[in-house]
Amino acid sequence: MENRSKIVVSLVLLPLLLTTISAQSTKLTPNFYKTTCPNVESIVRSAVQKKFQQTFVTAPATLRLFFHDCFVRGCDASILLATGNGNAEKDHPDDISLAGDGFDTVIKAKAAVDSNPQCRNKVSCADILALATRDVVQLTGGPFYRVELGRRDGRISTKASVQRQLPGPNFKLDQLNSMFARHGLSQTDMIALSGAHTIGFAHCGRFSKRIFNFSPRNIIDPTLNFRYALQLRQMCPRNVDPRIAINMDPTTPRTFDNAYYKNLQQGMGLFTSDQVLFSDPRSRGTVNLFASSNAAFHNAFVAAITKLGRVGVLTGKQDA
């Protein structure tokens, strides 16, 4: 895994897209770069494939990076920015665990795009991140989908803007629904996007309370499969190295499939915010649907991530 602390994108190094993105563009479209950089998708895909072949972590890291970027100030690539004083989005505790491979994927894809004279400084990092996210989903067995393009890069990134903007591992259904609804995402969208955990990984400290100190009456969270809890204890013993991370899907961790939902049915959701999707009767039906049909999950995921990609985007002459 790349050392995230070494991956720094300076504000001054990001291209200024004010003059290169059409002022007439007021909405996203898959054909945004048809005349300015017609091969952008193949260029990005090639760079992402190369990175993915080097390390599988590229996939979950890039997907998580896209989600974290869009939920804070919208999908504007501001998660990539470094302020020089440790006060950027990526410096917030909720973002500090973002794997360096996600950042590196965007940086290498951006370099590949800019190496083409026709495309240099014409494609935003926000669009490259959106394309790379689609590519890692497909590379791990997930669906291919058209990516809407035309986002401008933001030039503001603050640690304070992250506060209370990302779902926590202990969230209950109402908290999840409320946070996603703020971005125009429904409960079904939320459940579908949670399925990204099928290729995700998590650090032990994010769920240790569920397996060691859940409550005075229950040492282990009763909604957690007991045998799975004992396995988690072996992988994440007390006082484990905080850098240790484990797969969120214990069955098919390298495949973008509906096993995540089947695991929830068995009490094998790693976070409280995962397991609540099945334990709460209001969301259980959707979990059962996705568990029974990989196609239903993939279709719902495509709809949800397309909507996610529209959150707070900057287009045309909008200020960053």
Side-chain angles (χ1 to χ4, degrees):
M1 188 184 298
E2 300 278 353
N3 187 334
R4 178 178 177 276
S5 64
K6 294 181 180 179
I7 299 175
V8 177
V9 182
S10 169
L11 282 165
V12 297
L13 294 179
L14 282 173
L16 298 180
L17 300 172
L18 292 172
T19 60
T20 58
I21 289 185
S22 169
Q24 281 71 45
S25 174
T26 57
K27 65 178 182 178
L28 305 179
T29 169
N31 299 317
F32 185 81
Y33 297 105
K34 184 176 182 179
T35 58
T36 55
C37 183
N39 297 323
V40 62
E41 294 204 30
S42 61
I43 295 172
V44 171
R45 186 175 299 116
S46 179
V48 173
Q49 286 177 329
K50 183 177 180 180
K51 174 67 179 174
F52 178 75
Q53 289 167 357
Q54 294 170 352
T55 172
F56 176 82
V57 176
T58 297
T62 303
L63 182 51
R64 187 167 178 239
L65 188 67
F66 181 64
F67 179 85
H68 278 233
D69 181 52
C70 291
F71 258 47
V72 179
R73 303 188 64 87
C75 308
D76 65 350
S78 56
I79 188 67
L80 300 175
L81 298 177
T83 59
N85 60 1
N87 194 40
E89 286 178 32
K90 67 187 186 67
D91 299 310
H92 190 277
D94 289 347
D95 283 337
I96 206 75
S97 64
L98 289 169
D101 290 288
F103 292 85
D104 195 43
T105 298
V106 180
I107 291 168
K108 288 180 175 175
K110 174 63 174 169
V113 170
D114 283 348
S115 69
N116 183 313
Q118 184 179 1
C119 302
R120 185 171 299 129
N121 290 346
K122 292 179 180 177
V123 182
S124 68
C125 290
D127 281 343
I128 289 174
L129 176 55
L131 287 169
T133 298
R134 185 270 310 279
D135 293 338
V136 298
V137 167
Q138 186 187 28
L139 283 167
T140 51
F144 178 86
Y145 56 92
R146 299 190 78 190
V147 177
E148 297 174 338
L149 302 168
R151 301 167 188 80
R152 281 186 49 201
D153 288 337
R155 291 184 286 170
I156 299 172
S157 183
T158 66
K159 187 187 296 186
S161 64
V162 183
Q163 196 67 22
R164 292 185 293 277
Q165 295 302 310
L166 295 166
N170 297 316
F171 268 25
K172 299 298 177 61
L173 187 65
D174 287 337
Q175 293 171 294
L176 290 168
N177 281 337
S178 176
M179 180 166 284
F180 278 71
R182 291 207 302 262
H183 301 295
L185 298 165
S186 68
Q187 177 175 286
T188 299
D189 295 328
M190 179 271 292
I191 298 171
L193 289 171
S194 296
H197 286 172
T198 190
I199 58 168
F201 57 89
H203 292 87
C204 295
R206 300 282 282 176
F207 56 88
S208 60
K209 184 177 180 181
R210 294 190 73 200
I211 58 176
F212 286 117
N213 188 32
F214 181 70
S215 72
R217 294 188 61 183
N218 297 288
I219 295 176
I220 295 176
D221 184 343
T223 66
L224 190 61
N225 180 294
F226 187 72
R227 182 175 296 179
Y228 181 49
L230 296 183
Q231 293 173 349
L232 292 175
R233 282 186 164 201
Q234 290 183 325
M235 293 184 285
C236 294
R238 292 183 187 273
N239 302 316
V240 67
D241 186 329
R243 294 171 296 181
I244 297 297
I246 69 166
N247 295 320
M248 298 194 73
D249 176 356
T251 55
T252 57
R254 289 175 173 252
T255 305
F256 195 94
D257 58 17
N258 64 339
Y260 167 81
Y261 303 100
K262 295 178 181 179
N263 292 336
L264 297 185
Q265 292 176 321
Q266 302 299 318
M268 295 165 61
L270 190 61
F271 292 161
T272 297
S273 57
D274 293 312
Q275 194 57 51
V276 72
L277 302 181
F278 182 75
S279 59
D280 194 307
R282 294 173 295 171
S283 49
R284 186 180 302 144
T286 304
V287 171
N288 288 336
L289 171 63
F290 293 166
S292 68
S293 171
N294 202 45
F297 162 49
H298 281 180
N299 290 338
F301 181 83
V302 168
I305 201 163
T306 300
K307 288 170 67 175
L308 175 65
R310 299 169 183 159
V311 172
V313 296
L314 302 168
T315 59
K317 287 187 174 182
Q318 286 179 287
D319 289 333

